[in-house]
């Protein structure tokens, strides 16, 4: 198909690593400009209220403080638009770039202080006099649904949007079903928590009328256009530059208020301005995620065949609809059934506004939650019907012969209303997982008390829809020094983009890897681009690079042929030189003067391609403490085609550990006044090196994608999907003798303890 | 999260440090800074001045003799780890300190800092109270010694006056054949304990429990000795039945907080579990 | 206030506010930005540097407290030319993705292996439990540190 394939499929060590290992990365906090000022943001300490008084005089008077910017200085600016699913009605709930009169969550920006240092800016924030008349907060989704107190009075409701996923006739299926089980489940509010918090460095060039913003990530082109509109500039007058990014996971890179406030401040003051988010503000400022609860039911035949799924899901969206805030509720509904054959579905998903930090996407948004809900239901049904957990999955997995398999139709769904699982053999991955895990042997441990701990095992299956369209762009240019520069519209968020794209380009062209240089993300490089989300970079970006490299190869061969007086068909590119059959050759740098370059894009008509897999886990529960020891975790995923097995494995392990954090310990707890109680990293707990040392991941490439020329499917989000449901089912099975019902995440020690014998509480 | 501004002094002697504290009522002491620096970062405190003990000599020693173990206030967790004498001179202290925080913090955090910060879930205050330790302070009015049980007055509160500096912690002599245990449960390694227990007793020639000391951390507003449990144990024969009774009594004797990590019912159950496991472990140990 | 200390083997002198922590002093005054700030309250370990041979959180030390000390940052762990065995092991095992926690992981591992070249997997995990990583899931980091032990066993300094 292409070149030599000596890099694609190889565990190539990452090019990016060299600078990171030396401490030479360039994250936005590492950058500075002459004359730069530092910004700090005054944020609402109250969850719901009206600003009665904002007096910045004392702040402005502090030595070292250069300005305090409020809504007064900013004036009228469009609200932050939705990047995804801008459905009619959502315009009522968009977030303003700064609070003018009303505040709707603790952490909402109210003023920006500019000073000579970050410490002085923080001093300035502390000196501003702020009085807020409190309004009763809408503390949770139940209060929200009563529509008693409204966050947006003119809209008349707190229901931001409702989605319904439908297939077949759910009511008929449930009416006639021999077995029905109905339950309530809940996932908690938590967050992506990249290790690098956010930051923006903005420079305004008044002479050239040009705004340059560093610290961009994920979707720089959309954000550039949004910012330009807000500043009254043409998109061509604004550059968003992506530097090194300390993790994104879906949360970083969306357009936040600070993405306007800091550039505005730079233009207002006429000096570069840098803002670096601190961790405390990060926990109230960056997108929250995942909080949902549901009441759902499953209908089955006595042999375990699933007939239907029906129910209602409630998402606690927070105070505004953010740029991608509706993805979680819509995906939860449409993918509720996961990889299972469910002929009759009706799931309604409601996004409700509350006085909390707004939420958005976080790695496999909606899918993690759906998998928890669905896998719990399936496990309960399996138990009631006395069917082995693995057999229950086996019977209900979509079969290879059924591909493409249509999932539930989503309304309102727009172009993505319908989707189908495109290719693959889901059972093959399940069988491989069970065999590697040792399911048959480990089954004998189910529910047993061994050395003071209760043992449980569980299995779960998942699909990952990847490669969200519409397209991705690339430009390849032959440089004077004979290297090939590859500019991609994809963004790097730590996933190894530079290396993976280089592997594809090098193999396609047939040149050594070190002759390829990948530049990404910045609006400087390309006219348009789409970015890194929904595990699309390799699928779409990689395909764009692949197609572009093929065209560039032809151009190189043609140019060399002209110079050497041969036909292009007689010229091959071997080890970086254009060679004829009789041994004459030209180096690439000799050809560079011909100005060889290709601008390309790859579009997939918004057709998702689905990775899939299964995961199994073995836990031991300590009834005295509620601690869950993860003795073994195995995931098997078929990703279509593996470009770099090293980085792919890293995505799986990393995703699983994030999922485990959500399953056991991460929790953005709010009190009844809308105050975030988990406001620092001593209270918001993420996994550490000693928590989950036994995790295995196996990648398969047995069923390449038919949607792109490389055959790849996305692999950034699959492994996290089944973790919540898997852990809950394993704990349920371990504590089955106590009728444990782990229907709520996280499975904190206190919660798990309460499901067991509560040893210590009763006398012997 | 930068602190509010403050002045800084690093006096050369203890008396200079005391004089600075006495003269500047809004000043705070800093030693390792592992507890204080986060407080300053969150602007939960805005001292006018920090008085750093880093240059004051004589506070960093571990002295072991027939009277017991004397820890200077600037002794760090890693100094306790690194001192092999403590394996026999005070194994309970050593075991408890192994649970403190993380690798980097252990290189800086100090005995005096931990006592002064008085977190209800911290290990060293728990050891101090359980072992009837004595805390010596030096201040403008001179030096005084307090028993650990009187020193801790509430969550993050102690009897230390603003001008006083903790200089040393004294743990009574530890007999070689003592039965002891330290049990703690935290969500992750190095986190503050959801609850923990330090306990010891001596066995007389008839195999009866004597001199029982049972202390708990994380389950009350300060480290606490459970005298009801000690009374229950003393004079009785060791065995599973006694241990379970003691565990049950421990659960009843504590009044734990509800917080975002756990509720009171769980903490009671956890205390019972840890006391039972501690007693079983202590029974095996020292044979 | 004036502060003088040794930084990666060279003497430095800076004039800073007492409230500036060592991490900010390194990053903003001395322009060594390899030491990262992930939380500024001593919970994440991204800011770890080596002071007088011991791994410490540089956000929990005031710059003025570094007076007279020897400070080693991630930049001081290697030369321009080659990666150290520890760095090479990180690369080989894909022990970094976004790279933000990496300097803290390297300084902590270096300090640990310098003192304890025979540290086993449990000890390594325990020592690294104060360094948060959100990308890798830690397993490749522990593998890399285990492999790097060989270099520390051979001599005092790799």
């Amino acid at each position: 198909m292409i070149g030599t394939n000596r890099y694609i499929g190889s565990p190539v060590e990452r090019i990016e690593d060299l600078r990171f290992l030396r401490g030479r990365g360039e994250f936005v906090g590492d950058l500075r400009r002459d004359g730069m000022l530092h910004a700090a943001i005054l944020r609402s300490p109250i969850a719901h209220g009206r600003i009665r008084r904002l007096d910045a005089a004392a702040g402005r008077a502090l030595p070292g403080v250069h300005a305090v910017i409020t809504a007064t200085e900013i004036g009228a600016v469009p609200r932050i638009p939705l990047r995804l699913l801008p459905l009619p009605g959502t315009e009522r709930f968009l977030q303003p770039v700064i609070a003018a009169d009303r505040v709707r969550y603790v952490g909402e920006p109210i003023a920006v202080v500019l000073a000579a240092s970050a410490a002085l800016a923080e001093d300035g924030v502390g000196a501003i006099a702020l009085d807020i008349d409190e309004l009763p907060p809408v503390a949770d989704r139940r209060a929200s649904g009563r529509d008693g107190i409204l966050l947006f009075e003119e809209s008349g409701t707190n229901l931001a949007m409702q989605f319904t996923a439908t297939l077949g006739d759910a009511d008929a299926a449930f009416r006639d079903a021999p077995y029905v089980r109905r339950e309530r489940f809940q996932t908690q509010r938590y967050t992506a928590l990249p290790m690098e918090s956010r930051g923006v460095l903005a420079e305004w060039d008044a002479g050239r009328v040009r705004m340059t913003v560093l610290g961009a990530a994920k979707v720089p082109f959309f954000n550039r256009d949004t910012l330009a509109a807000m500043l009254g500039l043409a998109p061509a007058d604004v550059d968003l530059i992506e530097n090194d990014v300390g993790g994104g996971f879906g949360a970083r890179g969306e357009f936040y208020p600070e993405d306007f406030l800091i550039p505005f401040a730079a233009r207002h003051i006429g000096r570069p301005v840098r803002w670096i988010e601190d961790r405390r503000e990060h926990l109230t400022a960056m997108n929250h995620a995942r909080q949902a609860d549901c009441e759902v039911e499953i209908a089955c035949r006595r042999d375990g065949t699933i007939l239907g799924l029906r129910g209602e899901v409630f998402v606690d969206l927070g105070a505004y609809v953010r740029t991608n805030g509706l993805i979680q509720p819509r995906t939860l509904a449409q993918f509720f059934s996961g990889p299972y054959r469910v002929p009759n579905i009706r799931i309604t998903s409601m996004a409700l506004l509350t006085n909390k930090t707004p939420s958005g996407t976080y790695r496999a948004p909606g899918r993690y939650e759906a998998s928890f809900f669905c896998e719990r239901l399936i496990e309960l049904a399996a138990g009631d019907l006395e069917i082995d957990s693995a057999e229950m999955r086996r019977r209900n997995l979509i079969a290879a012969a059924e591909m493409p398999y249509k999932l539930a139709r989503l309304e309102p769904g727009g172009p993505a209303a319908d989707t189908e699982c495109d290719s693959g053999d889901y059972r093959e991955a399940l069988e491989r997982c069970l065999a590697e895990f040792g399911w048959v042997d480990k089954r004998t441990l189910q529910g047993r008390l061994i050395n003071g701990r209760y043992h449980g095992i569980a299995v779960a299956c998942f699909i990952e829809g990847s490669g969200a369209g519409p397209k991705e762009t690339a430009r390849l240019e032959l440089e004077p020094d004979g290297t090939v520069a590859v500019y991609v519209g994809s963004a790097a968020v730590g996933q190894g983009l530079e290396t993976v794209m280089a592997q594809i380009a090098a193999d396609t062209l047939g040149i050594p890897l070190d002759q390829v240089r990948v530049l990404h993300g910045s609006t400087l490089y390309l006219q348009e681009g789409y970015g890194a989300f929904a595990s699309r970079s390799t699928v779409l970006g990689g395909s764009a690079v692949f197609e572009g490299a093929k065209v560039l190869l032809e151009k190189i061969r043609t140019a060399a042929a002209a110079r050497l007086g041969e036909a292009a068909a007689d010229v091959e590119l071997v080890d970086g030189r254009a060679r004829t059959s009789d041994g004459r050759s030209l180096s690439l740098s000799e050809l560079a003067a011909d100005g060889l370059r290709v601008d390309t894009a790859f579009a997939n008509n918004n057709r998702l391609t689905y990775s899939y897999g299964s995961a199994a886990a073995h836990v031991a529960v300590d009834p005295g403490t509620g601690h869950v020891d993860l003795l073994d975790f195995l995931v098997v995923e078929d990703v279509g085609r593996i470009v770099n097995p090293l980085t792919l494995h890293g995505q799986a392990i990393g995703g699983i550990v994030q999922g485990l954090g959500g399953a056991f310990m991460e929790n953005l707890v709010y009190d009844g006044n809308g105050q975030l109680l988990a406001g620092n990293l001593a209270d918001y707990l993420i996994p550490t090196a000693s928590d989950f040392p036994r995790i295995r991941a196996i990648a398969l490439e047995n069923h390449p994608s038919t949607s792109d020329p490389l055959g790849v499917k996305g692999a950034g989000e699959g492994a996290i999907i089944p973790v919540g449901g898997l852990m809950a089912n394993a704990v349920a099975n371990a504590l089955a003798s106590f009728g444990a019902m782990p229907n709520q995440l996280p499975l904190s020690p206190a919660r798990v303890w309460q499901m067991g014998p509560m040893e210590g509480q009763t006398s012997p | 999260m930068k602190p509010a501004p403050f002045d800084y002094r690093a006096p050369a002697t203890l008396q200079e440090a005391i004089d600075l504290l006495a003269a500047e009522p809004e000043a705070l002491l800093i030693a390792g800074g592992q507890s204080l620096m986060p407080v300053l970062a969150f602007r939960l405190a805005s001292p006018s001045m920090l008085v750093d003990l880093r240059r004051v000599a004589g506070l960093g020693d571990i002295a072991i003799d027939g009277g017991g173990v004397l820890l200077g206030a600037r002794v760090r967790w890693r100094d306790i780890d690194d001192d092999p004498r403590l394996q026999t001179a005070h194994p309970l202290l050593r075991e408890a300190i192994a649970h403190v925080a993380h690798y980097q913090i252990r290189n800086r955090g100090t005995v005096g800092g931990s006592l002064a910060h008085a977190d209800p879930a911290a290990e060293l205050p728990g050891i101090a109270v359980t072992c009837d330790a004595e805390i010596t302070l030096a201040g403008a009015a001179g030096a005084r010694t307090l028993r650990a049980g009187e020193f801790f007055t509430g969550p993050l509160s102690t009897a230390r006056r603003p001008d006083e500096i903790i200089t040393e912690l004294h743990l009574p002599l530890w007999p070689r054949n003592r039965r002891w245990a330290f049990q703690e449960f935290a969500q992750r390694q190095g986190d503050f304990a959801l609850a923990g227990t330090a306990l010891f007793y001596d066995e007389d020639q008839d195999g009866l429990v004597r001199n029982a000391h049972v202390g708990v951390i994380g389950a009350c507003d300060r480290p606490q000795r459970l005298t009801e449990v000690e009374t229950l144990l003393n004079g009785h024969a060791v065995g599973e039945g006694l241990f379970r009774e003691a565990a049950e009594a421990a659960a009843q004797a504590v009044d734990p907080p509800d917080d975002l990590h756990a509720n009171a019912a769980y903490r009671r159950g956890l205390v019972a579990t840890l006391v039972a496991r501690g007693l079983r472990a202590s029974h095996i140990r020292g044979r | 206030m004036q502060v003088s200390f040794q930084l990666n083997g060279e003497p430095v002198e800076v004039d800073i506010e007492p409230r500036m922590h060592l991490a900010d002093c390194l990053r903003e005054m001395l322009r060594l930005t390899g030491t990262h700030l992930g939380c500024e309250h001593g919970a994440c370990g991204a800011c770890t540097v080596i002071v007088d041979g011991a791994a410490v959180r540089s956000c929990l030390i005031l710059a003025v407290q570094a007076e007279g000390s020897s400070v080693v940052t991630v930049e001081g762990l290697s030369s321009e030319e080659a990666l150290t065995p520890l760095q090479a092991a990180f690369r080989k095992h894909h022990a970094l993705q976004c790279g933000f926690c990496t300097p803290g992981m390297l300084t902590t591992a270096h300090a640990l292996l310098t003192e304890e070249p025979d540290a086993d997997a449990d000890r390594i995990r325990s020592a690294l439990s104060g360094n948060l990583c959100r990308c890798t899931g830690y397993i490749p980091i522990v593998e890399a540190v285990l492999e790097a032990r060989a270099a520390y066993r051979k001599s005092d300094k790799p």
Side-chain angles (χ1 to χ4, degrees):
Chain A
M1 168 161 67
I2 48 178
T4 55
N5 271 15
R6 110 178 99 149
Y7 297 116
I8 292 180
S10 293
V12 174
E13 288 184 357
R14 296 194 331 167
I15 298 160
E16 329 37 355
D17 287 358
L18 295 170
R19 63 182 183 274
F20 294 137
L21 289 167
R22 292 205 164 97
R24 297 255 165 75
E26 282 195 343
F27 300 88
V28 64
D30 302 335
L31 305 172
R32 61 185 51 76
R33 294 288 183 270
D34 289 341
M36 180 175 87
L37 293 176
H38 299 255
I41 297 176
L42 171 67
R43 297 180 183 277
S44 176
I46 302 290
H48 198 194
R50 292 212 144 80
I51 298 172
R52 176 160 42 89
R53 187 180 83 129
L54 174 61
D55 185 346
R60 288 187 176 111
L62 281 181
V65 172
H66 287 241
V68 178
I69 296 168
T70 69
T72 307
E73 286 76 27
I74 288 170
V77 169
R79 296 192 165 217
I80 301 172
L82 297 197
R83 179 173 69 82
L84 297 173
L85 301 177
L87 298 163
T90 54
E91 65 282 346
R92 298 172 289 172
F93 311 116
L94 301 182
Q95 183 166 2
V97 293
I98 196 155
D101 161 54
R102 185 80 165 260
V103 292
R104 293 186 175 88
Y105 66 97
V106 170
E108 182 160 7
I110 293 175
V112 184
V113 176
L114 303 180
S117 73
L120 289 166
E122 212 177 313
D123 294 342
V125 166
I128 295 174
L130 177 65
D131 290 326
I132 297 179
D133 287 333
E134 294 191 44
L135 294 169
V138 177
D140 57 43
R141 73 92 175 153
R142 283 181 201 281
S144 177
R146 291 194 278 272
D147 276 346
I149 300 150
L150 296 175
L151 273 77
F152 299 88
E153 283 83 4
E154 324 75 56
S155 70
T157 182
N158 288 324
L159 179 65
M161 188 57 57
Q162 178 167 310
F163 297 95
T164 306
T166 322
L167 197 62
D169 186 342
D171 289 337
F174 274 83
R175 210 164 39 232
D176 304 329
Y179 168 86
V180 171
R181 176 104 188 217
R182 176 193 229 148
E183 286 296 337
R184 291 185 170 163
F185 303 105
Q186 204 171 321
T187 52
Q188 79 279 33
R189 196 176 202 78
Y190 64 108
T191 183
L193 209 97
M195 289 320 299
E196 184 202 14
S197 57
R198 290 179 299 144
V200 181
L201 171 56
E203 285 184 277
W204 171 245
D205 184 333
R208 289 163 61 223
V209 188
R210 180 152 217 91
M211 176 68 74
T212 304
V213 183
L214 298 113
K218 192 185 186 190
V219 284
F221 290 86
F222 176 87
N223 291 353
R224 185 268 310 268
D225 294 349
T226 303
L227 177 62
M230 288 175 171
L231 290 173
L233 297 169
D237 298 331
V238 179
D239 290 316
L240 257 57
I241 308 218
E242 184 178 86
N243 307 96
D244 288 322
V245 169
F249 316 119
R252 183 201 312 276
E254 293 296 331
F255 199 97
Y256 288 89
E258 298 85 1
D259 295 305
F260 165 81
L261 292 172
I262 305 307
F264 177 88
R267 187 171 68 174
H268 177 85
I269 201 82
R271 290 170 67 161
V273 174
R274 187 180 79 184
W275 166 75
I276 302 300
E277 183 184 54
D278 68 45
R279 188 59 71 181
R280 175 181 43 189
E281 79 182 309
H282 173 97
L283 286 165
T284 61
M286 195 148 171
N287 280 346
H288 288 188
R290 298 235 199 281
Q291 187 170 18
D293 70 280
C294 67
E295 186 163 338
V296 286
E297 44 188 352
I298 188 171
C300 299
R301 294 207 188 97
R302 288 270 150 214
D303 69 355
T305 309
I306 301 173
L307 296 170
L309 285 167
R310 184 170 69 173
E312 293 186 319
V313 178
F314 304 92
V315 167
D316 185 323
L317 204 67
Y320 297 101
V321 181
R322 280 226 163 123
T323 53
N324 59 7
L326 295 179
I327 294 294
Q328 179 215 7
R330 87 35 95 248
T331 304
L332 230 177
Q334 190 172 35
F335 293 91
F336 199 100
S337 53
Y340 300 109
R341 179 190 315 107
V342 182
N344 302 287
I345 297 174
R346 193 181 66 249
I347 301 285
T348 304
S349 175
M350 281 154 278
L352 290 154
L353 299 169
T354 59
N355 289 113
K356 297 176 187 171
T357 301
S359 60
T361 58
Y362 166 40
R363 206 164 191 170
R367 289 171 212 266
Y368 179 95
E369 300 88 299
S371 175
F372 170 66
F373 300 156
C374 184
E375 290 288 350
R376 277 296 293 141
L377 262 181
I378 290 176
E379 193 76 1
L380 289 166
D384 289 342
L385 297 170
E386 294 177 337
I387 296 167
D388 167 75
S389 295
E391 183 57 29
M392 185 77 181
R393 270 81 188 172
R394 198 178 275 125
R395 278 179 206 174
N396 289 292
L397 274 178
I398 299 163
E402 294 174 275
M403 299 293 178
Y405 181 90
K406 213 175 178 91
L407 296 175
R409 160 168 260 258
L410 187 78
E411 296 287 357
D418 292 301
T419 185
E420 43 188 33
C421 296
D422 54 341
S423 63
D425 188 339
Y426 298 176
R427 272 190 64 162
E428 181 183 75
L430 173 64
E431 301 305 343
R432 179 72 187 272
C433 178
L434 295 171
E436 294 275 352
F437 179 74
W439 179 264
V440 171
D441 287 336
K442 288 197 168 120
R443 214 167 30 183
T444 59
L445 303 170
Q446 198 75 295
R448 284 180 48 196
L449 178 64
I450 302 165
N451 288 334
R453 300 193 303 179
Y454 290 93
H455 287 244
I457 62 170
V459 65
C461 307
F462 61 93
I463 48 171
E464 173 188 357
S466 60
K471 62 181 177 178
E472 195 47 88
T473 55
R475 180 169 76 245
L476 290 85
E477 268 184 45
L478 186 53
E479 301 273 287
D481 63 357
T483 61
V484 174
V486 179
Y487 299 89
V488 294
S490 310
V493 288
Q495 78 276 49
L497 185 83
E498 291 167 34
T499 305
V500 168
M501 297 295 134
Q503 286 173 265
I504 294 168
D507 265 358
T508 309
L509 291 164
I511 63 177
L513 190 69
D514 61 11
Q515 278 195 262
V516 178
R517 198 163 55 96
V518 175
L519 300 108
H520 55 82
S522 302
T523 60
L524 288 174
Y525 298 145
L526 294 161
Q527 277 282 75
E528 62 172 352
Y530 292 83
F533 55 96
S535 298
R536 66 196 302 279
S537 295
T538 308
V539 175
L540 287 151
S543 296
V545 170
F546 172 66
E547 295 292 340
K550 282 200 297 186
V551 174
L552 183 65
L553 178 61
E554 282 318 301
K555 289 196 175 190
I556 289 170
R557 290 168 71 183
T558 303
R563 297 242 193 134
L564 294 169
E566 293 290 335
D570 292 331
V571 177
E572 293 296 326
L573 195 51
V574 181
D575 280 336
R577 292 189 72 86
R579 217 175 271 282
T580 63
S581 47
D582 60 4
R584 288 172 300 137
S585 68
L586 289 169
S587 71
L588 285 179
S589 57
E590 289 174 273
L591 291 165
D594 288 13
L596 299 174
R597 87 177 230 183
V598 173
D599 273 287
T600 184
F602 179 79
N604 70 349
N605 292 324
N606 283 308
R607 187 169 180 247
L608 296 179
T609 183
Y610 287 84
S611 303
Y612 58 90
S614 294
H618 175 193
V619 304
V621 180
D622 180 340
T625 62
H627 180 250
V628 180
D629 193 2
L630 181 62
L631 298 180
D632 190 15
F633 187 110
L634 168 67
V635 68
V636 173
E637 186 175 13
D638 194 315
V639 299
R641 181 148 183 220
I642 301 170
V643 178
N644 188 323
L646 201 54
T647 59
L648 175 68
H649 191 248
Q651 291 301 309
I653 303 293
I656 291 164
V657 174
Q658 285 190 355
L660 291 168
F664 291 113
M665 55 182 78
E666 298 183 42
N667 201 351
L668 289 168
V669 181
Y670 274 84
D671 71 10
N673 287 319
Q675 294 291 331
L676 178 63
L677 298 179
N680 57 61
L681 294 187
D683 285 325
Y684 186 83
L685 307 179
I686 70 169
T688 71
S690 43
D691 290 307
F692 306 114
R694 286 168 293 268
I695 298 170
R696 306 184 275 153
I698 295 172
L700 305 175
E701 45 182 355
N702 295 337
H703 297 276
S705 172
T706 49
S707 307
D708 65 79
L710 290 166
V712 297
K713 299 178 176 179
E717 294 171 272
I720 195 176
I721 291 169
V723 179
L726 197 56
M727 289 302 108
N729 286 336
V731 169
N733 292 335
L735 298 177
S737 50
F738 306 100
M741 291 284 279
N743 291 350
Q744 202 174 342
L745 297 181
L747 301 171
S748 64
R751 211 170 249 153
V752 173
W753 179 82
Q754 238 130 23
M755 288 191 274
M758 293 192 283
E759 181 182 276
Q761 190 79 318
T762 53
S763 25
Chain B
M1 285 153 54
K2 318 296 180 189
F6 49 78
D7 286 334
Y8 171 87
R9 298 278 189 283
T13 68
L14 188 64
Q15 192 56 51
E16 279 177 55
I18 292 168
D19 293 342
L20 281 166
L21 291 177
E24 187 76 35
E26 303 291 305
L28 289 178
L29 270 173
I30 187 167
Q34 306 300 279
S35 301
L36 181 63
M37 289 293 284
V39 168
L40 299 179
F42 282 105
R43 299 201 177 198
L44 294 172
S46 305
S48 57
M49 175 191 289
L50 288 191
V51 178
D52 194 343
L53 290 176
R54 62 191 296 268
R55 294 175 60 211
V56 175
L59 295 175
D61 299 320
I62 301 175
I64 300 174
D65 62 22
V69 174
L70 190 66
L71 301 172
R74 287 186 62 216
V75 166
R76 300 163 305 165
W77 309 127
R78 71 161 298 156
D79 298 326
I80 292 173
D81 272 348
D82 289 347
D83 192 330
R85 303 172 294 168
L86 288 170
Q87 258 166 350
T88 43
H90 214 298
L92 175 60
L93 169 72
R94 199 181 155 80
E95 176 64 33
I97 298 313
H99 287 82
V100 173
H102 294 292
Y103 184 66
Q104 297 92 339
I105 293 187
R106 301 171 66 77
N107 285 327
R108 294 277 303 177
T110 64
V111 163
S114 171
L115 295 172
H117 188 63
D119 190 298
E123 289 83 357
L124 184 66
I127 294 300
V129 167
T130 303
C131 297
D132 267 330
E134 292 187 325
I135 297 164
T136 302
L137 304 118
R144 63 181 180 134
T145 298
L146 293 176
R147 294 186 59 233
E150 304 167 311
F151 180 76
F152 300 102
T153 55
L156 306 180
S157 316
T158 68
R160 184 182 71 88
R161 297 185 202 114
D163 63 287
E164 286 182 311
I165 300 174
I166 297 168
T167 55
E168 54 195 28
L169 175 73
H170 184 262
L171 297 160
L173 182 69
W174 182 272
R176 265 183 195 258
N177 52 4
R178 171 161 282 173
R179 307 272 192 261
W180 63 271
F182 182 83
Q183 294 274 333
E184 172 183 305
F185 179 69
Q187 277 193 266
R188 305 173 306 178
Q189 188 179 318
D191 283 343
F192 276 112
L194 290 175
T197 182
L199 57 89
F200 66 82
Y201 60 91
D202 302 311
E203 234 177 74
D204 68 17
Q205 61 261 43
D206 301 315
L208 303 181
V209 173
R210 299 287 168 207
N211 192 31
H213 284 58
V214 179
V216 165
I217 58 174
C220 311
D221 69 348
R222 73 195 82 173
Q224 200 174 321
R225 268 181 68 182
L226 303 182
T227 50
E228 310 90 324
V229 180
E230 295 168 354
T231 305
L232 194 151
L233 289 168
N234 284 329
H236 291 94
V238 298
E240 183 61 27
L242 182 69
F243 295 159
R244 284 181 172 251
E245 258 191 81
E248 191 49 43
Q252 299 312 311
V254 294
D255 185 19
D258 280 327
D259 66 21
L260 76 160
H261 297 295
N263 60 16
Y266 169 73
R267 280 196 163 94
R268 281 187 203 277
L270 183 59
V271 165
T273 296
L274 296 176
V275 167
R277 290 181 184 175
L279 287 169
R280 286 188 204 113
S282 69
H283 182 43
I284 297 165
R285 185 179 278 121
R287 298 229 131 176
Chain C
M1 287 190 71
Q2 300 270 63
V3 191
S4 309
F5 54 93
Q6 289 277 33
L7 177 59
N8 296 329
E10 298 292 324
V12 293
E13 191 173 304
V14 284
D15 191 1
I16 42 97
E17 280 189 291
R19 63 168 161 171
M20 178 176 267
H21 52 57
L22 180 59
D24 270 344
C25 178
L26 294 167
R27 292 174 52 76
E28 305 295 331
M29 309 298 295
L30 294 159
R31 302 293 161 92
L32 290 185
T33 57
T35 301
H36 296 151
L37 285 171
C39 76
E40 277 190 302
H41 58 276
C44 81
C47 68
T48 303
V49 298
I50 302 172
V51 175
D52 297 332
V56 294
R57 289 162 162 14
S58 62
C59 74
L60 295 186
I61 298 184
L62 298 170
V64 291
Q65 292 183 301
E67 174 70 38
S69 287
S70 138
V71 177
V72 175
T73 67
V74 61
E75 292 93 339
L77 291 185
S78 64
S79 69
E80 281 306 315
E81 293 76 46
L83 295 180
T84 63
L86 180 64
Q87 290 167 327
F90 265 59
R91 189 171 187 220
K92 175 178 165 189
H93 289 274
H94 190 39
L96 61 152
Q97 290 183 27
C98 80
F100 196 78
C101 77
T102 306
M105 292 287 180
L106 289 170
T107 49
T108 303
H110 178 71
L112 175 70
L113 293 184
T114 301
E115 279 197 339
E116 301 175 42
D118 292 315
D120 65 9
D122 279 341
R123 174 62 179 149
I124 290 167
R125 278 192 277 269
S126 176
L128 289 178
S129 64
N131 291 73
L132 298 180
C133 172
R134 201 53 163 163
C135 294
T136 67
Y138 304 103
I139 288 172
I141 296 175
V142 176
E143 285 172 2
V145 178
L146 282 167
E147 177 165 322
R149 293 180 307 174
Y152 288 79
R153 282 169 181 148
K154 270 185 269 180
S155 59
D156 284 346
K157 258 173 85 154

